[in-house]
Amino acid sequence: MKARTAALTVAAVCFLGAQVAFAQSPFMGTWKLNEAKSKLGAGAPKNTTVTYEAAGDDMKVTVEGTDSMGNPTHTEWTGKFDGKEYPVTGSSTADMRSYHRISSHTISFTETKGGKVTTIGHIAVSADGKSRIVTTTATDSKGKKVHSTSVYDKQ
């Protein structure tokens, strides 16, 4: 009985530790696209709202926006910023995504579909935590590279 109580206590502490670590992350919260400051490549999707939230000891990233044809999109990804691939749902261009933490305010990401890289990117949150810049290079359906720089404001 003592071993079970100890195990449950350790699990609870680990869970709360993950929650505190996420709460202190500058990525957490909701970000809105600032179109006036952004430079979206021709035919690039437009991610208008991005939300980072804790999901147990994982991070959940939800993205609302429009695809290259202007149709609404909603994607979700849950995983860790550990460089490993985790499934992404709702995307026509990716079925897996990985994030790699570079520093406390910077991460990189890669999206793949069927094992083939479709998008690479870099995300940097400002020192004051009020804005973030996302630079991406994606390959469109015709094999052309599309570069974008998206600026987001913290909500």
Side-chain angles (χ1 to χ4, degrees):
M1 187 65 159
K2 287 183 182 180
R4 181 178 174 178
T5 301
L8 289 174
T9 301
V10 168
V13 168
C14 289
F15 176 77
L16 290 173
Q19 298 299 310
V20 169
F22 285 140
Q24 295 172 351
S25 171
F27 292 93
M28 297 303 286
T30 299
W31 301 87
K32 295 279 186 189
L33 180 67
N34 184 327
E35 287 190 62
K37 294 181 180 179
S38 299
K39 294 179 184 174
L40 302 178
K46 185 188 310 181
N47 296 331
T48 54
T49 305
V50 180
T51 303
Y52 293 82
E53 60 188 320
D57 65 345
D58 288 335
M59 178 76 73
K60 180 178 180 183
V61 180
T62 305
V63 180
E64 303 286 343
T66 56
D67 63 16
S68 60
M69 302 299 288
N71 299 312
T73 59
H74 172 92
T75 64
E76 293 184 9
W77 174 92
T78 302
K80 295 179 178 26
F81 290 172
D82 60 5
K84 296 178 183 175
E85 288 189 321
Y86 296 90
V88 60
T89 59
S91 174
S92 63
T93 60
D95 51 23
M96 302 294 280
R97 184 185 303 151
S98 65
Y99 287 95
H100 173 75
R101 185 176 301 277
I102 296 170
S103 72
S104 63
H105 285 71
T106 309
I107 56 178
S108 63
F109 70 94
T110 302
E111 291 185 336
T112 60
K113 183 157 183 130
K116 188 174 184 176
V117 174
T118 57
T119 305
I120 58 170
H122 185 264
I123 304 168
V125 175
S126 63
D128 66 6
K130 294 180 180 179
S131 64
R132 72 186 193 109
I133 297 175
V134 180
T135 56
T136 59
T137 300
T139 305
D140 69 13
S141 60
K142 297 175 184 149
K144 181 182 173 193
K145 298 285 185 192
V146 178
H147 304 282
S148 293
T149 300
S150 302
V151 178
Y152 292 84
D153 298 317
K154 183 84 174 255
Q155 299 303 291

